[in-house]
Amino acid sequence: DLYEVVNFSFNSKRDIENCLLNYDDHLKVANCLSLDQSDLRTSLIPNLLNNVVLNLKNFDQFGLFEIGRIYNKNPGKLPLEKNTLTIVNVGGFAERANSKYWGVSSPFFASKKIVEKLLTTLGLSNYKFLRTDDLKGKKASFHPEKCVKIIVNGQIVGDLYELHPQINKNYDIKPAIGVVDLDLGVLE
């Protein structure tokens, strides 16, 4: 089972940097209540990783998801808001069989199974996972070798990836983490 979390729409500079996100891409809050809420989020990952750290005190394998808005700069206009679903799969919890890769359990392939089940449940059968060279290095939070685009009916709807190992180190997280980011606006 996946468990839903609800977080604030803000990030701290520390979390932004720990997730290898570009701090300059974030919208600054003029009168933030605390330094932990100084920037509008461009990703659900930083807050989800804080949830992961808390849950790892009690569980070895689990899955969390959040549905929320992210905010991107839109020069001269109001920020662009995007409804997003992000799933974090810690330790390959959804894996039941045939997902062994690199000699260990793979949260990447377990997360792929979650996406396949979700898309099938939504009645979307025309999907594929596309690995392209332009993904490498495009997002610093992606593992350089374990990342693909999710394509439904010929349109990119999201990303499937394992977190970059440096992010695990930044948060002192031992197990690998599979991530699914879906743009819900495109899936409508």
Side-chain angles (χ1 to χ4, degrees), residues 8 11 14 19 23 50 64 70 124 131 135 139 149 155 163 170:
F8 289 114
N11 293 135
R14 181 188 80 247
C19 286
Y23 184 68
N50 288 322
L64 303 174
I70 60 172
L124 302 169
R131 180 179 172 112
L135 272 177
K139 288 197 176 180
K149 288 283 184 200
Q155 189 171 15
L163 275 184
N170 293 346

PDB file of all heavy atoms in Angstrom, residues 8 11 14 19 23 50 64 70 124 131 135 139 149 155 163 170:
ATOM      1  N   PHE A   8       3.184  21.285   3.358  1.00  0.00           N
ATOM      2  CA  PHE A   8       3.070  22.683   2.964  1.00  0.00           C
ATOM      3  C   PHE A   8       3.660  22.878   1.571  1.00  0.00           C
ATOM      4  O   PHE A   8       4.473  22.080   1.107  1.00  0.00           O
ATOM      5  CB  PHE A   8       3.801  23.591   3.957  1.00  0.00           C
ATOM      6  CG  PHE A   8       3.120  23.706   5.295  1.00  0.00           C
ATOM      7  CD1 PHE A   8       3.712  23.199   6.443  1.00  0.00           C
ATOM      8  CD2 PHE A   8       1.887  24.318   5.408  1.00  0.00           C
ATOM      9  CE1 PHE A   8       3.096  23.304   7.665  1.00  0.00           C
ATOM     10  CE2 PHE A   8       1.251  24.431   6.634  1.00  0.00           C
ATOM     11  CZ  PHE A   8       1.859  23.914   7.775  1.00  0.00           C
ATOM     12  N   ASN A  11       9.440  25.211   0.703  1.00  0.00           N
ATOM     13  CA  ASN A  11      10.682  24.496   0.986  1.00  0.00           C
ATOM     14  C   ASN A  11      11.658  25.449   1.648  1.00  0.00           C
ATOM     15  O   ASN A  11      11.563  26.661   1.494  1.00  0.00           O
ATOM     16  CB  ASN A  11      11.339  23.979  -0.305  1.00  0.00           C
ATOM     17  CG  ASN A  11      10.543  22.890  -0.990  1.00  0.00           C
ATOM     18  OD1 ASN A  11      10.373  22.922  -2.190  1.00  0.00           O
ATOM     19  ND2 ASN A  11      10.054  21.919  -0.252  1.00  0.00           N
ATOM     20  N   ARG A  14      17.873  24.927   2.544  1.00  0.00           N
ATOM     21  CA  ARG A  14      18.658  23.724   2.847  1.00  0.00           C
ATOM     22  C   ARG A  14      18.102  22.511   2.105  1.00  0.00           C
ATOM     23  O   ARG A  14      18.847  21.761   1.484  1.00  0.00           O
ATOM     24  CB  ARG A  14      18.669  23.481   4.362  1.00  0.00           C
ATOM     25  CG  ARG A  14      19.490  22.266   4.779  1.00  0.00           C
ATOM     26  CD  ARG A  14      19.328  21.926   6.258  1.00  0.00           C
ATOM     27  NE  ARG A  14      18.066  21.198   6.423  1.00  0.00           N
ATOM     28  CZ  ARG A  14      17.003  21.639   7.069  1.00  0.00           C
ATOM     29  NH1 ARG A  14      17.017  22.799   7.662  1.00  0.00           N
ATOM     30  NH2 ARG A  14      15.904  20.915   7.154  1.00  0.00           N
ATOM     31  N   CYS A  19      18.419  18.476  -2.220  1.00  0.00           N
ATOM     32  CA  CYS A  19      17.798  17.731  -3.323  1.00  0.00           C
ATOM     33  C   CYS A  19      18.431  18.050  -4.676  1.00  0.00           C
ATOM     34  O   CYS A  19      17.928  17.612  -5.716  1.00  0.00           O
ATOM     35  CB  CYS A  19      16.299  18.018  -3.365  1.00  0.00           C
ATOM     36  SG  CYS A  19      15.405  17.210  -2.042  1.00  0.00           S
ATOM     37  N   TYR A  23      18.407  26.561  -6.723  1.00  0.00           N
ATOM     38  CA  TYR A  23      17.770  27.499  -5.803  1.00  0.00           C
ATOM     39  C   TYR A  23      17.212  28.715  -6.540  1.00  0.00           C
ATOM     40  O   TYR A  23      16.162  29.236  -6.179  1.00  0.00           O
ATOM     41  CB  TYR A  23      18.768  27.933  -4.727  1.00  0.00           C
ATOM     42  CG  TYR A  23      18.160  28.832  -3.682  1.00  0.00           C
ATOM     43  CD1 TYR A  23      17.213  28.354  -2.787  1.00  0.00           C
ATOM     44  CD2 TYR A  23      18.522  30.173  -3.601  1.00  0.00           C
ATOM     45  CE1 TYR A  23      16.629  29.177  -1.839  1.00  0.00           C
ATOM     46  CE2 TYR A  23      17.950  31.008  -2.657  1.00  0.00           C
ATOM     47  CZ  TYR A  23      17.003  30.501  -1.779  1.00  0.00           C
ATOM     48  OH  TYR A  23      16.422  31.330  -0.848  1.00  0.00           O
ATOM     49  N   ASN A  50      11.697  14.512   3.656  1.00  0.00           N
ATOM     50  CA  ASN A  50      11.601  14.724   5.099  1.00  0.00           C
ATOM     51  C   ASN A  50      10.631  13.719   5.720  1.00  0.00           C
ATOM     52  O   ASN A  50      10.883  13.205   6.815  1.00  0.00           O
ATOM     53  CB  ASN A  50      11.176  16.165   5.411  1.00  0.00           C
ATOM     54  CG  ASN A  50      12.285  17.146   5.129  1.00  0.00           C
ATOM     55  OD1 ASN A  50      13.459  16.883   5.370  1.00  0.00           O
ATOM     56  ND2 ASN A  50      11.927  18.309   4.608  1.00  0.00           N
ATOM     57  N   LEU A  64       5.156   6.284  -0.115  1.00  0.00           N
ATOM     58  CA  LEU A  64       4.399   7.486   0.197  1.00  0.00           C
ATOM     59  C   LEU A  64       4.050   8.198  -1.106  1.00  0.00           C
ATOM     60  O   LEU A  64       4.790   8.094  -2.087  1.00  0.00           O
ATOM     61  CB  LEU A  64       5.225   8.442   1.071  1.00  0.00           C
ATOM     62  CG  LEU A  64       5.753   7.913   2.396  1.00  0.00           C
ATOM     63  CD1 LEU A  64       6.659   8.951   3.045  1.00  0.00           C
ATOM     64  CD2 LEU A  64       4.609   7.538   3.319  1.00  0.00           C
ATOM     65  N   ILE A  70       2.916  22.463  -7.641  1.00  0.00           N
ATOM     66  CA  ILE A  70       4.258  23.026  -7.667  1.00  0.00           C
ATOM     67  C   ILE A  70       4.170  24.352  -8.417  1.00  0.00           C
ATOM     68  O   ILE A  70       3.230  24.577  -9.179  1.00  0.00           O
ATOM     69  CB  ILE A  70       5.296  22.066  -8.304  1.00  0.00           C
ATOM     70  CG1 ILE A  70       4.926  21.732  -9.749  1.00  0.00           C
ATOM     71  CG2 ILE A  70       5.449  20.809  -7.459  1.00  0.00           C
ATOM     72  CD1 ILE A  70       5.988  20.952 -10.479  1.00  0.00           C
ATOM     73  N   LEU A 124      -5.651   3.589 -19.160  1.00  0.00           N
ATOM     74  CA  LEU A 124      -4.662   4.071 -20.137  1.00  0.00           C
ATOM     75  C   LEU A 124      -3.725   2.919 -20.488  1.00  0.00           C
ATOM     76  O   LEU A 124      -2.847   2.560 -19.715  1.00  0.00           O
ATOM     77  CB  LEU A 124      -3.871   5.251 -19.554  1.00  0.00           C
ATOM     78  CG  LEU A 124      -4.723   6.451 -19.133  1.00  0.00           C
ATOM     79  CD1 LEU A 124      -3.901   7.439 -18.336  1.00  0.00           C
ATOM     80  CD2 LEU A 124      -5.330   7.114 -20.359  1.00  0.00           C
ATOM     81  N   ARG A 131      13.747   5.746 -22.388  1.00  0.00           N
ATOM     82  CA  ARG A 131      15.048   6.194 -21.903  1.00  0.00           C
ATOM     83  C   ARG A 131      15.731   6.945 -23.043  1.00  0.00           C
ATOM     84  O   ARG A 131      15.874   6.432 -24.137  1.00  0.00           O
ATOM     85  CB  ARG A 131      15.902   5.017 -21.472  1.00  0.00           C
ATOM     86  CG  ARG A 131      17.240   5.486 -20.985  1.00  0.00           C
ATOM     87  CD  ARG A 131      18.086   4.327 -20.521  1.00  0.00           C
ATOM     88  NE  ARG A 131      19.395   4.860 -20.254  1.00  0.00           N
ATOM     89  CZ  ARG A 131      19.913   4.947 -19.050  1.00  0.00           C
ATOM     90  NH1 ARG A 131      19.247   4.503 -18.028  1.00  0.00           N
ATOM     91  NH2 ARG A 131      21.104   5.459 -18.882  1.00  0.00           N
ATOM     92  N   LEU A 135      17.987  12.809 -20.979  1.00  0.00           N
ATOM     93  CA  LEU A 135      17.592  12.790 -19.572  1.00  0.00           C
ATOM     94  C   LEU A 135      18.799  12.877 -18.648  1.00  0.00           C
ATOM     95  O   LEU A 135      18.731  13.457 -17.583  1.00  0.00           O
ATOM     96  CB  LEU A 135      16.838  11.499 -19.243  1.00  0.00           C
ATOM     97  CG  LEU A 135      15.354  11.507 -19.462  1.00  0.00           C
ATOM     98  CD1 LEU A 135      14.778  10.128 -19.169  1.00  0.00           C
ATOM     99  CD2 LEU A 135      14.683  12.528 -18.596  1.00  0.00           C
ATOM    100  N   LYS A 139      18.150  16.648 -14.997  1.00  0.00           N
ATOM    101  CA  LYS A 139      17.729  16.942 -13.635  1.00  0.00           C
ATOM    102  C   LYS A 139      18.755  16.330 -12.702  1.00  0.00           C
ATOM    103  O   LYS A 139      18.979  15.126 -12.719  1.00  0.00           O
ATOM    104  CB  LYS A 139      16.343  16.380 -13.355  1.00  0.00           C
ATOM    105  CG  LYS A 139      15.236  17.125 -14.055  1.00  0.00           C
ATOM    106  CD  LYS A 139      13.916  16.796 -13.428  1.00  0.00           C
ATOM    107  CE  LYS A 139      12.821  17.623 -14.067  1.00  0.00           C
ATOM    108  NZ  LYS A 139      11.517  17.323 -13.477  1.00  0.00           N
ATOM    109  N   LYS A 149      11.446   8.640 -19.150  1.00  0.00           N
ATOM    110  CA  LYS A 149      10.239   9.439 -19.330  1.00  0.00           C
ATOM    111  C   LYS A 149       9.050   8.489 -19.407  1.00  0.00           C
ATOM    112  O   LYS A 149       9.156   7.393 -19.965  1.00  0.00           O
ATOM    113  CB  LYS A 149      10.298  10.266 -20.624  1.00  0.00           C
ATOM    114  CG  LYS A 149      11.268  11.432 -20.572  1.00  0.00           C
ATOM    115  CD  LYS A 149      10.680  12.558 -19.782  1.00  0.00           C
ATOM    116  CE  LYS A 149      11.575  13.767 -19.781  1.00  0.00           C
ATOM    117  NZ  LYS A 149      11.254  14.662 -18.668  1.00  0.00           N
ATOM    118  N   GLN A 155       2.347  11.416 -25.494  1.00  0.00           N
ATOM    119  CA  GLN A 155       2.638  12.661 -24.777  1.00  0.00           C
ATOM    120  C   GLN A 155       3.382  12.353 -23.478  1.00  0.00           C
ATOM    121  O   GLN A 155       3.021  11.442 -22.729  1.00  0.00           O
ATOM    122  CB  GLN A 155       1.320  13.379 -24.466  1.00  0.00           C
ATOM    123  CG  GLN A 155       1.487  14.755 -23.933  1.00  0.00           C
ATOM    124  CD  GLN A 155       0.146  15.484 -23.850  1.00  0.00           C
ATOM    125  OE1 GLN A 155      -0.922  14.899 -23.927  1.00  0.00           O
ATOM    126  NE2 GLN A 155       0.211  16.781 -23.686  1.00  0.00           N
ATOM    127  N   LEU A 163      16.427   8.157  -7.118  1.00  0.00           N
ATOM    128  CA  LEU A 163      17.093   9.380  -6.660  1.00  0.00           C
ATOM    129  C   LEU A 163      18.595   9.284  -6.831  1.00  0.00           C
ATOM    130  O   LEU A 163      19.188   8.209  -6.678  1.00  0.00           O
ATOM    131  CB  LEU A 163      16.803   9.635  -5.185  1.00  0.00           C
ATOM    132  CG  LEU A 163      15.534  10.360  -4.819  1.00  0.00           C
ATOM    133  CD1 LEU A 163      15.490  10.597  -3.318  1.00  0.00           C
ATOM    134  CD2 LEU A 163      15.368  11.657  -5.556  1.00  0.00           C
ATOM    135  N   ASN A 170      22.897  13.205   1.381  1.00  0.00           N
ATOM    136  CA  ASN A 170      22.531  14.493   1.985  1.00  0.00           C
ATOM    137  C   ASN A 170      21.495  14.339   3.095  1.00  0.00           C
ATOM    138  O   ASN A 170      21.493  15.109   4.051  1.00  0.00           O
ATOM    139  CB  ASN A 170      22.017  15.474   0.930  1.00  0.00           C
ATOM    140  CG  ASN A 170      23.087  15.907  -0.042  1.00  0.00           C
ATOM    141  OD1 ASN A 170      24.279  15.707   0.183  1.00  0.00           O
ATOM    142  ND2 ASN A 170      22.672  16.497  -1.143  1.00  0.00           N
TER     143      ASN A 170
END
